[in-house]
Amino acid sequence: MNAPSSVADRPARAVRAGAPGWIVWSLRIAATGHLAGVLGQAALAGLFVTGDVDMLILHRDNAGFTHALLYLQLVAAILLWRPGRGPSGPAWASVALVVLETAQIGLGQSRVLAGHFPLGMTIFGGSAVLAVWTWRSLRPRARGAAA
């Protein structure tokens, strides 16, 4: 049996419909909110390092808020994957961010800045990529479309 000779000869693959709109929008909002919290962390850390010691308390409080947003993002990403029949990548990326942020909080509370700073930049990069992906690549299912 010969393989198809051209793309036109290949059988059409089933195109996966997007996830329900409420799941897509939940993930977009949670990922964007988390990214805003991470950006706030960087700004507050920068203000603290330049001498405004009161910013450390805000940095700590914002860390808790940002970490809570990450768990909402994780729930939305899992809903996208499992009942939503969307890609699993955002769920695994969110799990990785949970692990990294948990380590980040521990390093910050222990004042291990040699690990805290670069890990923070890694978290920022990963959060930015995921948030942009939710807006550029993730499409909600059209209303009335079958799953």
Side-chain angles (χ1 to χ4, degrees), residues 10 23 25 39 53 69 71 74 84 103 113 115 124 128 136:
R10 292 182 188 154
I23 295 174
W25 280 100
L39 177 60
V53 295
L69 281 175
Y71 280 99
L74 176 61
L113 300 183
F124 182 82
R136 294 193 53 137

Side-chain angles (χ1 to χ4, degrees), residues 67 96-110 112 115-116 119-120 123:
H67 201 60
L97 284 170
V98 165
V99 170
L100 293 175
E101 273 192 25
T102 302
Q104 175 75 343
I105 290 169
L107 289 171
Q109 289 175 345
S110 301
V112 181
H116 188 73
L119 188 54
I123 290 167

Side-chain angles (χ1 to χ4, degrees), residues 4-98:
S5 60
S6 71
V7 174
D9 295 337
R10 292 182 188 154
R13 288 185 177 174
V15 176
R16 182 188 290 184
W22 70 270
I23 295 174
V24 171
W25 280 100
S26 296
L27 181 56
R28 284 177 175 169
I29 291 167
T32 303
H34 177 255
L35 177 59
V38 170
L39 177 60
Q41 283 298 90
L44 292 168
L47 290 169
F48 168 70
V49 170
T50 60
D52 191 348
V53 295
D54 292 334
M55 292 297 114
L56 186 58
I57 294 168
L58 292 175
H59 183 71
R60 181 203 64 206
D61 293 345
N62 188 55
F65 176 74
T66 301
H67 201 60
L69 281 175
L70 179 55
Y71 280 99
L72 293 176
Q73 174 184 309
L74 176 61
V75 169
I78 290 170
L79 289 173
L80 173 74
W81 175 30
R82 278 295 146 200
R85 297 183 180 186
S88 64
W92 292 113
S94 296
V95 167
L97 284 170
V98 165

